[in-house]
Amino acid sequence: MEFLKRKIEQDGLVLSKDVLKVDSIINHQIDPILMSEIGKEFANRFKETKVTKIVTIESSGIAPGLMTALKLGVPVIFARKRKSLTLVDDLLTSTVHSFTKNETNEISVSNKFLSSDDRVLIIDDFLANGQAALGLVDIVKQAGAEVVGIGILIEKCFQQGGSLLRKEGLRVESLARIQSLEEGTITYLEESEAILS
Amino acid sequence: MEFLKRKIEQDGLVLSKDVLKVDSIINHQIDPILMSEIGKEFANRFKETKVTKIVTIESSGIAPGLMTALKLGVPVIFARKRKSLTLVDDLLTSTVHSFTKNETNEISVSNKFLSSDDRVLIIDDFLANGQAALGLVDIVKQAGAEVVGIGILIEKCFQQGGSLLRKEGLRVESLARIQSLEEGTITYLEESEAILS
């Protein structure tokens, strides 16, 4: 998606070969026009999949999740993240380890919002090691619902998340696929390579 | 705002004389059409105030903040909430006590996103004791920026937050002003009373 790539080049900061900071447009300050375009793009890519619910995770997934939900005309649910969670009957939970922050969180969704009839589109801002996405897939499956796809804003293709999810047979659509952040430069995966990967 | 009141009556749950649960439309599952209408309403109410930035707080403030930002054509910043925060130079921080959850959090905004030229509209989902809103006002003032108003989805008028903020001379616009949740029933403040309060 050229619009997102342009915004990343303009406003993103490469902090190291692993870390791209986009806190001025996506995950602290949010550009609402960008989010609206992102919602339109996901809605278009998944328009044939009969989505009934969007599932995302607080806090950075809420903006793109909401804009996609608005375009598709379905509700969005955001999973809550907690250090540890006392077991509550009416929650679907999963455990997610963040390598970036080196912490493990319980994530949860109230079971009243997902049923076995649901066709779920998962939305998140970053895909790196894939732990958050796998946790959300786990929660959707616990509800007996189907994951019709995963929509990601920025995929770090040099980390394993994308391959992990695709090996599970999941359809992953990433709007910006980054091959490398070496030497302070953002290199995108060429479309031709993306098809083969 | 009649649309929000109707949704609250339809989908809200009065759990006690203090607690109204709206997790099926606002703060866990989100109704994107409702949020879009809310954004339109806030944009209309504050259209003369020359807003340059929206400031809200994770996670439940993000959806209404984003939709208002989209309608006003300005960025939205969400303050992050943490149990305790190691002091970092480039953060504006404040302390917020939640009476509902009985916990104290540091909230923070990166100082690069607010400047003394900014005219800030604060958006949040609930106004009860006013602690979160006061924390956000504090952060905006630390940046030397001006608070042009506070937009709230649901104000519990039987708690002190609204009067606290209005006594400070702040303009507070609440879309649904609840007078009482006694006996499991939602009673709204009449418009005539609202003007006097």
Side-chain angles (χ1 to χ4, degrees):
Chain A
M1 189 201 181
E2 288 311 314
F3 189 57
L4 175 60
K5 288 183 189 169
R6 262 205 320 276
K7 286 296 259 181
I8 293 170
E9 269 148 34
Q10 197 177 298
D11 298 307
L13 281 174
V14 181
L15 294 190
S16 72
K17 69 181 179 44
D18 296 320
V19 182
L20 171 67
K21 203 169 177 179
V22 286
D23 67 346
S24 64
I25 50 172
I26 292 173
N27 47 23
H28 185 19
Q29 180 171 258
I30 303 169
D31 179 333
I33 310 287
L34 172 67
M35 282 303 159
S36 182
E37 290 298 315
I38 284 168
K40 210 185 290 176
E41 179 73 19
F42 281 137
N44 189 44
R45 293 196 189 194
F46 290 99
K47 66 176 178 243
E48 311 294 355
T49 61
K50 296 183 182 138
V51 175
T52 61
K53 293 269 166 87
I54 309 264
V55 170
T56 186
I57 184 163
E58 64 180 356
S59 288
S60 309
I62 295 174
L66 175 66
M67 295 315 299
T68 309
L70 185 67
K71 304 292 177 187
L72 286 171
V74 298
V76 51
I77 303 153
F78 63 90
R80 296 197 169 270
K81 220 185 282 180
R82 299 238 168 79
K83 273 270 160 42
S84 76
L85 210 69
T86 30
L87 206 66
V88 185
D89 269 353
D90 55 1
L91 290 182
L92 306 165
T93 67
S94 193
T95 305
V96 171
H97 183 72
S98 162
F99 291 93
T100 325
K101 295 182 190 158
N102 193 25
E103 61 179 34
T104 301
N105 287 297
E106 291 283 324
I107 64 169
S108 68
V109 165
S110 168
N111 64 6
K112 68 182 170 181
F113 299 131
L114 285 175
S115 79
S116 57
D117 297 333
D118 277 316
R119 299 176 57 78
V120 176
L121 172 59
I122 292 171
I123 298 282
D124 205 3
D125 58 343
F126 272 96
L127 175 58
N129 290 291
Q131 298 305 296
L134 285 167
L136 293 174
V137 169
D138 179 28
I139 280 178
V140 174
K141 288 191 172 162
Q142 284 175 44
E146 191 176 336
V147 177
V148 301
I150 300 173
I152 299 290
L153 273 56
I154 302 172
E155 179 179 348
K156 294 180 189 169
C157 300
F158 52 89
Q159 291 181 276
Q160 61 173 355
S163 2
L164 264 178
L165 294 169
R166 290 181 181 100
K167 264 183 209 146
E168 297 273 324
L170 293 158
R171 176 179 168 198
V172 182
E173 294 278 343
S174 304
L175 303 185
R177 301 190 73 189
I178 293 174
Q179 190 175 40
S180 150
L181 294 169
E182 301 278 345
E183 296 171 13
T185 307
I186 305 168
T187 312
Y188 292 102
L189 201 68
E190 295 296 323
E191 290 305 315
S192 54
E193 298 173 83
I195 289 161
L196 294 170
S197 74
Chain B
M1 188 201 182
E2 289 311 312
F3 189 57
L4 174 60
K5 288 183 189 168
R6 264 208 316 278
K7 286 297 257 183
I8 294 170
E9 268 148 35
Q10 196 178 298
D11 298 308
L13 282 174
V14 181
L15 294 190
S16 72
K17 69 181 178 46
D18 294 321
V19 182
L20 171 67
K21 202 169 178 180
V22 286
D23 67 345
S24 64
I25 50 172
I26 291 172
N27 48 22
H28 184 20
Q29 180 170 258
I30 303 168
D31 179 332
I33 309 287
L34 172 66
M35 283 302 160
S36 182
E37 290 300 314
I38 285 168
K40 210 185 289 175
E41 180 72 19
F42 282 137
N44 189 42
R45 293 195 190 194
F46 289 99
K47 65 174 180 247
E48 313 294 353
T49 62
K50 296 184 181 136
V51 176
T52 61
K53 293 269 166 87
I54 309 264
V55 170
T56 185
I57 185 164
E58 63 181 357
S59 287
S60 309
I62 296 174
L66 175 65
M67 296 315 299
T68 309
L70 185 66
K71 304 292 177 186
L72 286 172
V74 298
V76 51
I77 303 154
F78 62 91
R80 295 195 170 272
K81 220 185 282 179
R82 298 239 168 79
K83 275 270 160 40
S84 76
L85 209 71
T86 30
L87 205 66
V88 185
D89 269 353
D90 56 0
L91 289 182
L92 306 164
T93 67
S94 194
T95 304
V96 171
H97 183 73
S98 163
F99 291 92
T100 325
K101 295 183 189 159
N102 193 25
E103 61 180 31
T104 301
N105 287 297
E106 291 283 323
I107 64 170
S108 68
V109 165
S110 168
N111 65 5
K112 68 181 171 183
F113 298 131
L114 285 174
S115 80
S116 57
D117 297 332
D118 277 317
R119 297 176 58 79
V120 176
L121 171 59
I122 292 170
I123 298 281
D124 205 4
D125 58 343
F126 272 96
L127 175 58
N129 289 292
Q131 298 304 298
L134 284 168
L136 293 174
V137 169
D138 180 27
I139 280 178
V140 173
K141 289 191 172 162
Q142 284 176 44
E146 191 176 336
V147 178
V148 301
I150 300 173
I152 298 291
L153 273 57
I154 303 171
E155 179 177 348
K156 295 180 189 168
C157 301
F158 52 89
Q159 291 181 275
Q160 61 172 357
S163 2
L164 264 178
L165 295 168
R166 291 181 181 101
K167 264 183 210 147
E168 297 273 323
L170 293 158
R171 177 179 167 198
V172 182
E173 293 279 342
S174 304
L175 303 185
R177 301 190 72 188
I178 294 174
Q179 190 174 40
S180 150
L181 296 169
E182 301 278 344
E183 294 170 17
T185 307
I186 304 168
T187 311
Y188 293 103
L189 201 68
E190 295 296 323
E191 291 305 314
S192 54
E193 298 172 84
I195 288 162
L196 295 171
S197 73

